[in-house]
Amino acid sequence: MGNADTNSRIALNIHELQTAIAKAAERAGRDAKDIRLVAVSKTVGDQQIQAAITAGLKEFGENRSKQFAERQASFNDVAWHFIGRIQTNKIKDFVGTAALVHSVASERVLRAIAKRAEQLGLIQSLLIEVNTAHEASKDGVSPHELPSLLEVAQDLPTVRVQGLMTVAPIASELEVQRCFADLRELSEQMQQSFAGVTNLALAELSMGMSDDFLLAIREGATILRIGRSIWR
Ligand SMILES: *Cc1c(COP(=O)(O)O)cnc(C)c1O
């Protein structure tokens, strides 16, 4: 397929997606402006990313640190989110350049990010990933481990916890919805427990991908991470 075809296909996909997001927001009685779209570009090339930027997207996500660093450098007019599993020896690739790190799931990683941010003289925004599916194969802290991780975070002034993130399992609609509802309830509980702690903002809910973003919007998602529906 030619470049022009690829570009117009991506522009159309983005338009359809934004329309679906707006409709779902309206059905949920929410303002679509409160829902950010992060385009997950891990499976595509630079041309597709450029097409999405031309079509108006401003936030992108990568799940591998090396590719994150390369793309953030190539396309530095847009915001880049790190959404993948974190290895502490690779955090230099995204701390300081990521608008938001979605996938912090241990005290070790949290402290490593805080230390790197301190060296760079900046504050790194991040989310804590929660395993709402209760599956051993899934990343994220379990809901009962979350309070103690936030207690660690509140004493680390070079990180700012903007909220929570989850990846739903491939399961029934009911089960996926339960995961998203659990993340929202957990977020509300944590906002109460840590009210007034300045570096724990906890307003963001990063949940919803190509197959489940409508449910996520219904349950309060503020950030959608979408790949396949944009690039297909
Ligand atoms: C790949 C990926 C996405 C996007 O998934 P799609 O099904 O392509 O929309 C979202 N979140 C994470 C963590 C991912 O790795």
Side-chain angles (χ1 to χ4, degrees), residues 38-43 62-63 83-85 102-103 129 165-167 206 208-213 224-231:
V38 172
V40 179
S41 50
K42 65 191 180 194
T43 59
E62 285 288 337
N63 68 340
I83 63 169
R85 181 177 285 179
H102 286 231
S103 38
E129 180 170 359
M165 179 271 216
T166 200
V167 178
S206 169
M209 309 178 14
S210 291
D211 289 335
D212 54 24
F213 72 91
L224 310 173
R225 309 175 312 270
I226 297 188
R228 286 171 300 136
S229 311
I230 295 173
W231 317 118

Side-chain angles (χ1 to χ4, degrees), residues 67-108:
Q67 184 152 295
F68 175 94
E70 288 166 3
R71 292 194 154 165
Q72 194 278 330
S74 306
F75 298 97
N76 58 13
D77 289 348
V78 293
W80 285 90
H81 295 242
F82 188 77
I83 63 169
R85 181 177 285 179
I86 299 172
Q87 292 172 268
T88 43
N89 61 338
K90 302 281 176 62
I91 61 171
K92 281 195 175 85
D93 288 335
F94 57 81
V95 174
T97 49
L100 189 62
V101 178
H102 286 231
S103 38
V104 176
S106 73
E107 180 177 337
R108 201 166 88 90

